[in-house]
Amino acid sequence: MSDEQLVGIVLVSHSAEVAASVAELAKGLAGGGPVVPVGPAGGTEGGGLGTSSELIAAAAASVDRGAGVAVLTDLGSAVLTVKALLAEGDELPEPTRLVDAPFVEGAVAAVVTASTGADLAAVEAAATEAYTYRKV
């Protein structure tokens, strides 16, 4: 299977380092299957903490392979930034979904599921299901 058929994943964090690290972790845990396109979009253009609609849109464009893009966020204002981009309607590839999932566990579930060739709905469902993961 080529990456042309895979759902892309965008990880939006207030920190460039956090976004990049979670992307690396998720890709590493996905195993030896097809490499899912994952775009970290962390921090601001100047390297500070925050979110950037420009960085998010660029990451989404970079991972778009025509199968859809799942966007996971870390904190509240990241959610608001993605919602604003979705409302504008022309900044993100179609279809793009904001996924309600825990950031780390959801990212891993999304990337692992996308690596199987699953569609956007299945990737979203797997990431959302990560809310049910128990640790004790």
Side-chain angles (χ1 to χ4, degrees), residues 9-24 38-60 62-63 71-75 77-79 81-82 85 103:
I9 313 292
V10 173
L11 302 176
V12 181
S13 173
H14 283 69
S15 162
E17 293 83 4
V18 169
S21 294
V22 172
E24 181 182 341
V38 180
T44 64
E45 289 91 350
L49 296 176
T51 57
S52 161
S53 56
E54 290 82 10
L55 292 177
I56 296 166
S62 76
V63 302
V71 180
L72 287 84
T73 61
D74 63 355
L75 302 170
S77 64
V79 173
T81 303
V82 174
L85 284 167
F103 193 62

Side-chain angles (χ1 to χ4, degrees), residues 8 16 50 64 76 83 87 97 99 108 113 116 129 134:
D64 180 25
K83 284 184 175 182
R97 291 192 190 160
V99 178
V108 171
T113 302
T116 69
E129 187 179 318
R134 303 286 309 197

